[in-house]
Amino acid sequence: MNSAMDEINLLRQAQRQHQHHLMVRGMGEEIDLEIGPGDDPSFSGADLVAVASGHHDTDEHKSLLIPCSGAVDGHAQPPAPQPQLAHGEEHDGKLRRPSAHTKKKKVVKKWREEWADTYKWAYVAVHDNTTRIFCSVCKEYGRKHRRNPYGNEGSRNMQMSALEEHNNSLLHKEALRLQMASKEKLQPPEIERPVYVKALSKTAASILESVLRRDPHEAEFIQSIQEVVHSLEPVLVKNTQYVQILERLLEPERCFIFRVPWIDDRGEAHVNRGFRVQFSQALGPCRGGLRFHPSMSLSVAKFLAFEHTLKNSLSLYKLGGAAGGSDFDPKGKSDNEIMRFCQSFMDELYRYLGPDQDFPAEDIGVGPREMGYLFGQYRRLSGHFQGNFTGPKIFWSGSSFRTEATGYGLVFFARLLLAEMNKELKGLRFLTEICLVYQCYNLTMYLHTVHVICRCVISGSGKIAMHVLEKLLPCGAIPVTVSDSQGYLLDEDGFDYMKYSLLRDIKAQQKNLKEYLKSYPHAKYMDDAKPWSEQCDVAFPCASHNEIDQGDAVAIIKSGCRVLIECSNMPCTVQAVDILRKAKVLVAPAKATAAGGVALGELELNPKFNLMQLSVEDFENKIQDAIKQTYERSIKAAQDYGIMKENPESLVHGANICAFLNIAQAMTDQGCV
């Protein structure tokens, strides 16, 4: 027995000189296990080798690292009377005896297939200077999660590792679930999304190609640029001096990426990434939202900043454009955690803000609570009180008037477009239904039996979506859907004021929209679905960018939709836009439809203007005036470059042309800066 142990010690000594070599066992091979004394679960002095299933690709799964004394130079060494030494090592002819206090058992077993499948979900890491085996599901270790492949669960010194004080049953079930999933056909790994490029003129294509070469991985940013470049083709052909100006405009003035460390309520440290893109200050100081969402990236920040630049350029009040945020997810976080994150976020961002430089606004994941924490830290660091986050009268908390103005403005814009079509929200379906009914009944019966309504479909359930729903009710329309990240809620009878109040309470309490079914069981909640297949006349996408893809566009056309009012920035993919255009669906771009919110947001910056003194009539009149002026300027810009009003893309192209010409004039006057 002592002779065998001496041989094993020699093998271990040889192995230590080749620590980077891992041993891979095949099915049915014998393995030598040296189990430490007592119930020490760490095995800190043991060497680690990899054990993988013979019928799985080892590159696709993590291998279990176990203590083993039989790996030499990356090859398995079965028990043998003579020691096998690593390459380059000389034998001195002496056998070394183990110390008296390290008694070890030698266990030789077959490595069975079921063991390899189960234990490949583990990995080895060093914790507190001790090598431990962790569960790759929950990244924890504990004595309760046994990893003994020999079935002797009762013997503590037979455990290959110990995952201390952990819930064994939950871990094991999850590991088995992952094991079964690996044997089924899995979804392919997420790959980089290809950029869909439209056919452009030679000049416009060269501009887009330069952006593609510079930022090939920023899909959202390239998509937003492509739409604008496509609209500006007639401008570039007619005025070649605008080519260089557009090339300069498409490069942001400055981008900031920074680390945001914060501590949760358990005292654990986390780190997120913060962004702020100041795209253009040619027309004035930057203004744009802050978004806290896991999907936030530099590409999204640049796309949002570019959209805000053009959106602000369309208004009468001249401002630049910016956007930013973080991949931090405020959902499920306590107030203290959100406060600590916001303070850490502002620790870096405050030096780039100011009334003459940049002032942020609310966006997804950033509401009055977050803006209050951000402003408090900004005031603390800057040393003076500047209410320039959302306005000097409302200060940091966010103006409810501005979010109402955005939502109301979207409905006013829809009403304006329908008026140009000799229709209105209240009676949009009148002409369609009279033809069908007149064939079966007389006109008198129709007037007594058919209800004149306009069905509207809304995605999202945030502040803007709820204000859209609220304003549709007095206009006589019937909104039938709202949605969240898990699905959408459908009420065929339509939402009224009572139902709207219930929805608002549900969202204020941060509950799921399924709570609505408790009060109105006739409604339906569709899990993991979008509302675009529901029959409607007008669609209001208020959720996020690219929420309408190619299949959703086909569903919108089949649902009978005639007008799509973009509420969120760039809600349609390029393919979806092409499908809607070919079907003659009128699309109102977010650059123009958000004119109400932009106008009220800029009025907040005027120290002589007090929104609180506005009556309801004056408030709505200002929104409607801003909407009407934006619409007229966009249509005129399109007509100046040969795009007729009857063209379903006239409003999109006109808004892009008008916004660009305003910025281009300022950039020309200021020189190459």
Side-chain angles (χ1 to χ4, degrees):
M1 182 64 183
N2 291 338
S3 175
M5 295 303 299
D6 290 339
E7 294 172 359
I8 292 172
N9 286 335
L10 288 175
L11 292 177
R12 282 191 170 181
Q13 181 181 0
Q15 183 186 3
R16 291 193 184 96
Q17 299 186 8
H18 299 272
Q19 293 180 357
H20 299 291
H21 293 284
L22 298 180
M23 179 188 70
V24 179
R25 295 282 184 187
M27 290 302 166
E29 285 192 50
E30 292 186 349
I31 60 173
D32 296 344
L33 262 184
E34 295 299 336
I35 305 302
D39 58 353
D40 179 15
S42 64
F43 297 92
S44 58
D47 298 305
L48 300 174
V49 295
V51 181
S53 169
H55 67 292
H56 288 286
D57 187 359
T58 56
D59 291 336
E60 296 180 358
H61 301 285
K62 293 180 180 178
S63 297
L64 170 65
L65 303 182
I66 62 173
C68 182
S69 61
V72 181
D73 198 22
H75 298 285
Q77 297 293 329
Q82 297 297 329
Q84 299 288 336
L85 299 181
H87 179 69
E89 183 179 359
E90 296 183 359
H91 197 309
D92 57 4
K94 296 180 180 180
L95 294 178
R96 300 174 184 174
R97 308 178 74 79
S99 59
H101 66 282
T102 57
K103 290 185 178 181
K104 297 179 180 294
K105 293 182 180 180
K106 183 176 180 181
V107 183
V108 179
K109 292 289 184 179
K110 297 286 186 180
W111 182 255
R112 297 203 303 266
E113 180 178 350
E114 57 267 28
W115 297 342
D117 284 341
T118 301
Y119 304 124
K120 71 188 176 189
W121 299 107
Y123 67 97
V124 167
V126 177
H127 179 72
D128 293 337
N129 297 324
T130 302
T131 302
R132 298 187 185 276
I133 300 184
F134 290 77
C135 176
S136 61
V137 178
C138 64
K139 308 298 187 294
E140 295 287 348
Y141 68 93
R143 190 161 32 240
K144 296 296 184 182
H145 199 309
R146 299 181 183 276
R147 312 198 75 82
N148 172 23
Y150 308 113
N152 189 356
E153 296 291 335
S155 178
R156 297 178 65 180
N157 61 352
M158 287 291 291
Q159 298 178 40
M160 295 173 61
S161 74
L163 303 180
E164 293 178 340
E165 302 304 330
H166 195 66
N167 191 331
N168 178 38
S169 60
L170 293 179
L171 263 182
H172 195 63
K173 289 179 181 178
E174 182 66 9
L176 291 177
R177 186 188 67 80
L178 293 175
Q179 173 188 340
M180 295 303 297
S182 68
K183 296 181 179 180
E184 299 174 356
K185 185 177 180 180
L186 297 178
Q187 292 283 347
E190 184 177 352
I191 59 176
E192 186 178 340
R193 290 175 297 171
V195 178
Y196 176 79
V197 180
K198 291 183 178 181
L200 300 173
S201 64
K202 184 176 181 180
T203 303
S206 64
I207 295 174
L208 185 60
E209 287 173 1
S210 65
V211 179
L212 281 168
R213 286 194 300 269
R214 188 168 58 229
D215 304 309
H217 306 296
E218 298 178 354
E220 295 85 1
F221 181 50
I222 293 173
Q223 179 184 340
S224 63
I225 286 178
Q226 183 181 187
E227 177 191 298
V228 175
V229 171
H230 178 59
S231 298
L232 296 179
E233 283 186 288
V235 179
L236 301 177
V237 172
K238 188 175 180 179
N239 304 284
T240 56
Q241 69 270 19
Y242 285 138
V243 174
Q244 293 183 347
I245 295 178
L246 179 59
E247 290 176 342
R248 278 194 286 138
L249 175 62
L250 295 182
E251 182 65 25
E253 291 189 8
R254 58 192 65 87
C255 301
F256 308 109
I257 304 178
F258 49 93
R259 178 180 62 188
V260 187
W262 57 282
I263 306 296
D264 63 18
D265 291 340
R266 296 175 296 179
E268 298 180 1
H270 302 269
V271 62
N272 288 91
R273 182 172 291 178
F275 307 91
R276 189 64 177 176
V277 176
Q278 296 172 352
F279 209 95
S280 174
Q281 293 179 333
L283 293 176
C286 293
R287 181 186 179 90
L290 288 175
R291 175 178 295 188
F292 291 167
H293 193 270
S295 65
M296 194 64 187
S297 64
L298 180 60
S299 175
V300 174
K302 290 172 68 174
F303 131 67
L304 291 174
F306 184 55
E307 291 286 316
H308 281 299
T309 299
L310 299 178
K311 190 182 300 184
N312 292 338
S313 177
L314 269 176
S315 65
L316 295 176
Y317 302 89
K318 303 306 180 184
L319 285 174
S326 174
D327 56 0
F328 171 78
D329 188 0
K331 290 184 178 179
K333 306 295 191 303
S334 68
D335 289 346
N336 286 332
E337 289 175 330
I338 293 177
M339 180 187 68
R340 286 190 289 269
F341 174 83
C342 291
Q343 290 174 347
S344 180
F345 183 85
M346 189 53 64
D347 284 345
E348 180 66 27
L349 186 62
Y350 85 97
R351 53 178 58 91
Y352 310 116
L353 304 180
D356 298 323
Q357 183 178 5
D358 183 9
F359 36 93
E362 300 174 7
D363 204 326
I364 297 174
V366 178
R369 175 183 57 178
E370 289 77 13
M371 290 300 289
Y373 295 147
L374 292 169
F375 178 79
Q377 189 70 356
Y378 173 80
R379 176 190 60 78
R380 179 185 183 185
L381 295 171
S382 63
H384 52 271
F385 191 96
Q386 289 181 334
N388 58 355
F389 274 46
T390 54
K393 302 302 179 183
I394 310 301
F395 299 117
W396 64 88
S397 62
S399 170
S400 61
F401 286 108
R402 191 173 63 82
T403 56
E404 287 180 10
T406 303
Y408 289 5
L410 295 166
V411 178
F412 293 152
F413 207 103
R415 194 165 64 180
L416 178 61
L417 291 181
L418 293 174
E420 295 290 332
M421 301 166 60
N422 295 320
K423 296 178 175 61
E424 60 180 16
L425 281 173
K426 189 173 183 178
L428 181 59
R429 311 180 80 194
F430 180 83
L431 295 178
T432 302
E433 295 187 358
I434 189 173
C435 297
L436 298 176
V437 177
Y438 187 77
Q439 297 177 0
C440 301
Y441 305 100
N442 57 48
L443 182 58
T444 303
M445 183 179 295
Y446 165 79
L447 293 177
H448 289 287
T449 58
V450 176
H451 298 283
V452 181
I453 60 172
C454 170
R455 284 171 60 95
C456 297
V457 168
I458 302 172
S459 70
S461 54
K463 291 177 291 186
I464 293 178
M466 297 305 291
H467 289 314
V468 169
L469 191 155
E470 177 188 3
K471 197 58 185 176
L472 284 173
L473 298 178
C475 292
I478 304 297
V480 295
T481 68
V482 290
S483 70
D484 55 19
S485 59
Q486 300 178 8
Y488 73 91
L489 177 67
L490 171 66
D491 192 329
E492 289 287 357
D493 296 336
F495 300 111
D496 53 24
Y497 287 102
M498 291 291 294
K499 296 176 181 179
Y500 163 74
S501 178
L502 175 62
L503 287 173
R504 187 176 56 186
D505 293 340
I506 291 174
K507 296 303 297 183
Q509 299 172 17
Q510 299 182 352
K511 295 182 179 180
N512 191 283
L513 289 177
K514 293 181 180 180
E515 293 290 323
Y516 181 89
L517 303 180
K518 296 180 180 179
S519 300
Y520 298 95
H522 66 277
K524 299 178 182 178
Y525 186 87
M526 310 298 182
D527 291 302
D528 299 325
K530 301 177 184 179
W532 309 123
S533 59
E534 300 298 335
Q535 185 180 12
C536 68
D537 302 295
V538 182
F540 293 89
C542 303
S544 62
H545 63 274
N546 286 338
E547 61 175 296
I548 300 177
D549 57 20
Q550 189 172 358
D552 297 326
V554 174
I556 288 175
I557 296 170
K558 292 181 178 180
S559 70
C561 178
R562 305 182 184 190
V563 179
L564 187 142
I565 305 295
E566 291 187 353
C567 308
S568 56
N569 294 296
M570 200 172 70
C572 302
T573 64
V574 181
Q575 299 91 329
V577 170
D578 286 343
I579 292 174
L580 295 173
R581 174 180 55 82
K582 293 176 183 178
K584 305 299 182 182
V585 175
L586 182 58
V587 177
K591 299 180 186 68
T593 59
V598 172
L600 263 292
E602 290 162 350
L603 284 176
E604 290 176 347
L605 302 177
N606 186 352
K608 299 180 181 179
F609 188 82
N610 191 347
L611 284 176
M612 305 300 292
Q613 297 177 356
L614 278 180
S615 64
V616 176
E617 292 78 12
D618 293 338
F619 172 70
E620 294 192 355
N621 288 336
K622 286 187 175 295
I623 299 174
Q624 294 185 58
D625 289 343
I627 291 291
K628 185 176 181 181
Q629 292 179 20
T630 300
Y631 174 80
E632 292 175 350
R633 286 197 301 270
S634 300
I635 293 297
K636 183 179 183 302
Q639 292 176 345
D640 290 343
Y641 286 90
I643 305 173
M644 295 296 101
K645 189 176 181 180
E646 293 75 19
N647 190 325
E649 290 186 301
S650 61
L651 192 54
V652 175
H653 293 331
N656 289 328
I657 292 172
C658 182
F660 170 74
L661 292 178
N662 290 338
I663 300 175
Q665 184 61 51
M667 295 178 67
T668 302
D669 296 341
Q670 296 171 18
C672 186
V673 294

